[in-house]
Amino acid sequence: SRRVLGVIRPTAECIGQISHTRHVGIFATPGTIRSHTYELEIAKLHPDIKVTGVPCPMWVPLVENNEADKPGADYFVRQKIDEMFLIDPAIDSIILGCTHYPLLIDKIRRFAPKGVTIIPQGDYVARSLQNYLQRHTDMEARLTQGGTLRLLTTEQPHQFNENASIFLHQNVKAERIVL
């Protein structure tokens, strides 16, 4: 069987210790917000927490087009933060529900009200994986140690390389494949 490490559950497990007001915001893609997956997962573990999801359809293109650190991105980030706090001013924690959004974290922190905790999920997911591997030593033993990285894309490699370099903080060279 193939096991998949979820990215929502690790954050949902921790949010109860992070939020003091029990009002949490989620910035995510429109599809993620429509799915209500964060609300459902948080409600299972912390039924007292009120979750407000706000879709941010412009944020991924800002990141993928190297505009995240430019002044033009300020408008789109501030717009969504204002929208969230108009819906629920009691929010004290915001989960960044997309892998792209941590690249906007400086702007999000700048425009969010003082004292609001911004939660990129990477550390929570990494700790969850580490914990899983410690509990399942048989799984860890099957993992390749010291492997190499080969990037394959169905997109145009130059575009993929530019986007991947933003996340990996190094130049990458992907190969194009046809599925």
Side-chain angles (χ1 to χ4, degrees):
S1 75
R2 302 231 182 240
R3 301 207 184 262
V4 176
L5 175 67
V7 296
I8 296 170
R9 180 75 181 210
T11 310
E13 289 172 349
C14 298
I15 197 65
Q17 298 167 350
I18 298 169
S19 176
H20 301 293
T21 64
R22 315 310 275 174
H23 291 253
V24 173
I26 310 286
F27 285 135
T29 62
T32 298
I33 296 300
R34 277 192 308 273
S35 73
H36 300 284
T37 52
Y38 280 92
E39 291 94 329
L40 295 169
E41 204 61 35
I42 291 170
K44 288 179 199 173
L45 301 165
H46 310 286
D48 62 316
I49 291 180
K50 180 182 181 214
V51 177
T52 299
V54 172
C56 303
M58 289 299 297
W59 289 14
V60 169
L62 287 171
V63 170
E64 289 186 349
N65 289 289
N66 290 316
E67 295 293 324
D69 60 346
K70 308 275 182 2
D74 291 1
Y75 170 81
F76 296 102
V77 171
R78 176 176 258 161
Q79 177 189 49
K80 292 303 176 178
I81 289 172
D82 290 349
E83 179 181 336
M84 179 175 282
F85 285 92
L86 192 61
I87 296 167
D88 186 355
I91 289 170
D92 71 348
S93 305
I94 299 172
I95 297 170
L96 304 182
C98 174
T99 57
H100 290 60
Y101 295 178
L103 295 169
L104 293 163
I105 198 163
D106 290 338
K107 289 186 185 300
I108 295 167
R109 284 185 176 135
R110 183 170 0 130
F111 296 121
K114 201 174 205 91
V116 172
T117 302
I118 309 301
I119 306 163
Q121 298 183 99
D123 289 341
Y124 296 99
V125 175
R127 272 186 254 142
S128 178
L129 175 58
Q130 182 180 33
N131 178 276
Y132 178 85
L133 293 174
Q134 288 171 345
R135 289 182 290 114
H136 298 88
T137 54
D138 59 316
M139 178 70 76
E140 185 175 22
R142 294 188 341 226
L143 296 175
T144 303
Q145 303 295 318
T148 58
L149 175 65
R150 181 178 178 200
L151 300 170
L152 305 172
T153 180
T154 57
E155 299 177 19
Q156 293 301 318
H158 69 277
Q159 183 64 46
F160 180 91
N161 294 342
E162 286 180 29
N163 290 334
S165 295
I166 295 168
F167 291 94
L168 299 175
H169 305 290
Q170 64 184 24
N171 290 328
V172 300
K173 186 163 175 64
E175 303 168 52
R176 186 168 194 275
I177 61 167
V178 178
L179 300 177

